[in-house]
Amino acid sequence: MRGETYMDLAVDFMGLKLKNPIMVAAGPLTATGEMLRQAVEAGAGAVVTKTIVNEIRPKVRPRLAALGEGMQNIELYTEFSLEAWEHEIRYAKSHGAVIIANILAHTPSEMADIALRVEKFGADAIELGVACPHGEGLEGLFADPAQLYSFTKSVVQRVNIPVMVKLSPNVTNMAKMAMSAEQAGASAVSAIDTVRAIIGVDLESGRPLLSTYGGYSGPPVRPIGLAAVALISQAAKIPVCGIGGISNSHHVLEYMMLGASTVQLCTSLILNGLDSLSKIIHDLETWLMQHNVADFGQIRGKALQSLKSFEEIKVEPYVAKALQGCSDLSCNLCVRGCIYKAVHKSKFKVTVDQNLCTGCGLCLSVCPDKAFVLEWK
Ligand SMILES: Cc1cc2nc3c(=O)[nH]c(=O)nc-3n(C[C@H](O)[C@H](O)[C@H](O)COP(=O)(O)O)c2cc1C
């Protein structure tokens, strides 16, 4: 799929030189050194390990449930001991991987001890995996700015490699958490980890599909991730790594335009295969070339410039107009979806009653043919 390489996608992230800004996120695809190697072979600019802890335990079964495009997991940490990770990291490094070791512990000093060990094993950076929504009552850590600060500071003071802090969307103020990480000396933050969820209930048995609260991921969480990255980018100075629901190059660019310097992918690679990475990278190159973008700096944060606060938005007299581009007059999505009964269809054309239309904009997004525009009344 890659064929010729159009342009250089290399980025400098936290001082790491990455061949491209796309990483494989901590999860089941980064559980062993061999899997890290495969991710690099598939094209990843860096790989983030499954969360490394001191106390390992077997995985619960079942632990994954996909419904539509979203996935719930109740998976916790690595099944390998800290000692075993020495071999896994060295192996992946010997195959050219840039490795970010995702780690977690119960106290700041234990966290710093693990960080020191993975640094010795050869990890290029650390991600504090403090944001998992299930297990071990971790809310205290991921939702408390003071605790996040002390865990981060403890690690930053002990290691010489960059430290990134992974943030949870399950808090009221993500910007505050990002500021805590920044003040503690973190080199970057990554967002988001999964959204606390129960994916469904089996009505016949009356049981939830998975046996405890878990983390929701995949395309449905992307709007949550995008908002998180925008909010953090507006509040903090350190770079942001965008995560959540990315499955194509368009999504990568959306995250970047809202301020992300790099991105991570997990669920889409589980569902579509690691091979899908090469198409994402190829499409990203193509888009950049077609839009004469030589450097990610040209697009990073571009959408933030027009992201207003609600109070800044002026009420302007826009109404919808149907462009006669409807290819299926029997589709009716626009008519059904018009809350104000302003859209009408005859045998031959679609019209909008401009006296009933309130300019909500829904017809523009439901129409598969994009056959509506908003016009100044
Ligand atoms: C099955 C599964 C296991 C995961 N395990 C970890 C983990 O060990 N550590 C961690 O920090 N995040 C973990 N995550 C969260 C992902 O790294 C990522 O933040 C999240 O899934 C959102 O990205 P996505 O929509 O691309 O999957 C896991 C996600 C999934 C789906």
Side-chain angles (χ1 to χ4, degrees):
M1 171 46 80
R2 276 179 71 75
E4 77 238 69
T5 298
Y6 295 126
M7 59 180 296
D8 187 12
L9 297 181
V11 289
D12 182 314
F13 181 64
M14 308 192 288
L16 306 179
K17 310 274 179 264
L18 310 184
K19 66 183 177 197
N20 67 59
I22 301 178
M23 310 181 192
V24 178
L29 295 178
T30 59
T32 68
E34 172 57 15
M35 292 173 111
L36 298 176
R37 184 197 69 74
Q38 287 168 7
V40 173
E41 190 180 77
V47 285
V48 187
T49 68
K50 183 80 191 147
T51 301
I52 301 172
V53 288
N54 268 327
E55 293 151 34
I56 53 168
R57 54 164 105 162
K59 286 185 164 63
V60 297
R61 301 175 188 205
R63 61 184 171 278
L64 303 178
L67 194 66
E69 289 195 296
M71 180 191 280
Q72 181 191 342
N73 86 84
I74 55 169
E75 177 167 306
L76 275 178
Y77 318 124
T78 174
E79 285 183 306
F80 285 1
S81 67
L82 177 57
E83 291 68 36
W85 270 99
E86 173 161 14
H87 172 261
E88 304 307 310
I89 290 176
R90 290 196 193 288
Y91 174 81
K93 279 221 68 104
S94 72
H95 287 89
V98 175
I99 299 183
I100 302 180
N102 180 304
I103 64 166
L104 179 62
H106 295 281
T107 64
S109 65
E110 185 194 350
M111 191 81 120
D113 289 344
I114 300 179
L116 263 180
R117 296 287 301 279
V118 294
E119 179 181 32
K120 287 209 178 92
F121 299 164
D124 299 283
I126 284 169
E127 180 178 67
L128 302 188
V130 293
C132 178
H134 43 279
E136 314 223 345
L138 283 166
E139 287 92 338
L141 179 48
F142 71 61
D144 175 2
Q147 277 201 61
L148 192 77
Y149 177 90
S150 58
F151 272 77
T152 308
K153 181 121 196 153
S154 170
V155 175
V156 168
Q157 282 175 336
R158 295 275 297 281
V159 296
N160 292 312
I161 51 179
V163 178
M164 169 158 76
V165 179
K166 191 166 185 178
L167 298 179
S168 168
N170 304 303
V171 300
T172 33
N173 191 340
M174 287 190 78
K176 212 172 181 176
M177 305 307 296
M179 300 294 281
S180 277
E182 178 171 277
Q183 282 155 12
S187 298
V189 288
S190 50
I192 55 175
D193 204 313
T194 52
V195 180
R196 182 180 289 119
I198 291 175
I199 200 168
V201 172
D202 180 278
L203 298 188
E204 295 311 315
S205 66
R207 297 163 77 95
L209 295 181
L210 290 176
S211 50
T212 185
Y213 300 93
Y216 195 44
S217 61
V221 310
R222 192 171 58 255
I224 302 171
L226 290 172
V229 166
L231 197 74
I232 296 165
S233 302
Q234 288 179 322
K237 292 186 196 71
I238 50 177
V240 185
C241 177
I243 321 173
I246 299 174
S247 62
N248 62 38
S249 59
H250 182 117
H251 304 151
V252 174
L253 289 159
E254 286 182 305
Y255 269 99
M256 289 188 158
M257 289 195 185
L258 287 167
S261 298
T262 53
V263 295
Q264 296 180 22
L265 283 69
C266 181
T267 302
S268 75
L269 299 179
I270 297 174
L271 296 175
N272 304 328
L274 264 183
D275 289 356
S276 57
L277 257 187
S278 61
K279 175 164 167 48
I280 297 173
I281 295 165
H282 179 266
D283 291 350
L284 185 63
E285 283 174 335
T286 306
W287 190 94
L288 293 171
M289 207 182 62
Q290 284 169 348
H291 291 78
N292 287 323
V293 177
D295 185 294
F296 288 111
Q298 287 174 247
I299 54 162
R300 189 179 314 120
K302 193 175 173 192
L304 293 174
Q305 291 157 18
S306 48
L307 183 69
K308 301 183 170 115
S309 70
F310 189 80
E311 288 65 30
E312 284 172 302
I313 303 172
K314 293 193 191 89
V315 179
E316 289 165 328
Y318 280 112
V319 288
K321 181 183 169 198
L323 307 168
Q324 296 312 317
C326 175
S327 65
D328 178 7
L329 284 165
S330 64
C331 136
N332 267 337
L333 283 173
C334 56
V335 176
R336 262 205 313 272
C338 182
I339 308 156
Y340 307 96
K341 309 283 178 234
V343 181
H344 302 283
K345 257 186 188 178
S346 70
K347 252 189 182 164
F348 308 104
K349 63 177 193 173
V350 182
T351 51
V352 178
D353 183 334
Q354 300 210 330
N355 293 320
L356 293 177
C357 177
T358 65
C360 75
L362 188 59
C363 52
L364 276 73
S365 44
V366 297
C367 175
D369 291 326
K370 304 273 168 251
F372 289 89
V373 285
L374 279 185
E375 270 188 356
W376 194 271
K377 190 175 176 181

